């Protein structure tokens, strides 16, 4: 019932508190009584540099700590975290092209492949099945790929393209750092 009443509220405050509630780690919002956050923090990931990404883990954490912006219980000013990151036109074009391939490629292949199987010649059907098998069974990138990816220029361009910020309140960042991995939806 309490959540139903809260859902009926349309204030900016409620929407912000909803985000805060979703970020709280291992707390039951009803049992904890919807306490107000005491501090807010924002990490503008698009502000990091390629050199910072390549640092060893401990040094990188120090650089990240220097990028974090803090606000008290009043939170950030309206629009303060809404500024877009500066990105060069060639960086934006590359990000858009890669996202079109990563996101659009499987869609085109799925629907195009189904259309080819339903309406195509036997040769086209065989080609779709063979290419699908190659794509399905080719090896995934090894563990070195992850390190390369998070230290690459492309990662920074993605951060800039989306003006990516990690925003949290109170001690949620520290709690998330020690929490086990999980998959959530909601």
């Amino acid at each position: 019932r309490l959540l139903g009443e809260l859902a009926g509220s349309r204030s900016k405050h409620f929407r912000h508190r909803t985000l805060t509630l979703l970020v709280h780690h291992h707390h039951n919002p009803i049992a904890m009584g919807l306490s107000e956050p005491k501090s807010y923090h924002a990490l503008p990931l698009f502000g990091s540099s390629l050199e910072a990404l390549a640092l060893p883990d401990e040094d990188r954490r120090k650089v990240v700590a220097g990028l974090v912006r803090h606000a008290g219980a009043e939170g950030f000013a309206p629009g303060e975290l809404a500024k877009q990151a500066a990105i060069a036109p060639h960086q934006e074009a590359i990000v858009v092209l890669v996202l079109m391939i990563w996101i659009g490629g499987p869609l085109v292949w799925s629907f195009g492949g189904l259309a080819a199987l339903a309406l195509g010649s036997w040769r086209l059907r065989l080609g779709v099945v063979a290419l699908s098998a190659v794509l399905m069974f080719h090896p995934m990138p090894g563990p070195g790929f992850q390190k390369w990816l998070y230290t690459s220029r492309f990662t920074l361009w993605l951060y800039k393209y989306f003006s990516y910020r990690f925003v949290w309140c109170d001690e949620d960042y520290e709690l998330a750092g020690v929490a086990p991995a999980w998959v959530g939806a909601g």
Side-chain angles (χ1 to χ4, degrees), residues 138-152:
H138 82 283
M140 295 299 289
F145 180 72
Q146 180 181 1
K147 180 163 175 56
W148 173 83
L149 190 59
Y150 75 72
T151 59
S152 73

Side-chain angles (χ1 to χ4, degrees), residues 16-184:
H16 182 71
R17 288 295 299 137
T18 302
L19 175 63
T20 304
L21 288 174
L22 294 176
V23 174
H24 275 297
H25 175 71
H26 292 297
H27 294 299
N28 180 340
I30 296 173
M32 65 183 229
L34 297 177
S35 65
E36 288 293 323
K38 295 171 185 60
S39 63
Y40 294 88
H41 316 277
L43 170 58
L45 289 170
F46 60 84
S48 60
S49 67
L50 195 57
E51 294 78 24
L53 292 179
L55 290 172
D57 196 43
E58 193 63 35
D59 295 332
R60 189 173 61 248
R61 289 181 190 274
K62 291 177 187 174
V63 171
V64 165
L67 292 173
V68 175
R69 299 179 58 203
H70 306 279
E74 71 282 354
F76 293 97
E80 187 176 352
L81 299 178
K83 296 179 181 101
Q84 291 184 350
I87 184 169
H90 74 279
Q91 296 170 347
E92 185 173 1
I94 291 171
V95 168
V96 169
L97 180 65
V98 169
L99 289 176
M100 283 174 55
I101 294 169
W102 282 353
I103 296 169
L107 288 173
V108 169
W109 187 253
S110 298
F111 293 116
L114 287 174
L117 291 175
L119 307 171
S121 67
W122 284 107
R123 185 176 180 170
L124 182 61
R125 290 175 184 171
L126 182 61
V128 166
V129 169
L131 192 54
S132 294
V134 168
L135 291 172
M136 188 170 42
F137 292 115
H138 82 283
M140 295 299 289
F145 180 72
Q146 180 181 1
K147 180 163 175 56
W148 173 83
L149 190 59
Y150 75 72
T151 59
S152 73
R153 292 180 195 279
F154 182 72
T155 300
L156 284 178
W157 297 347
L158 275 173
Y159 290 163
K160 289 179 182 180
Y161 182 80
F162 290 108
S163 297
Y164 188 63
R165 294 169 179 87
F166 185 69
V167 181
W168 70 98
C169 67
D170 296 334
E171 74 285 345
D172 291 333
Y173 183 78
E174 291 79 16
L175 290 171
V178 297
W182 63 279
V183 175

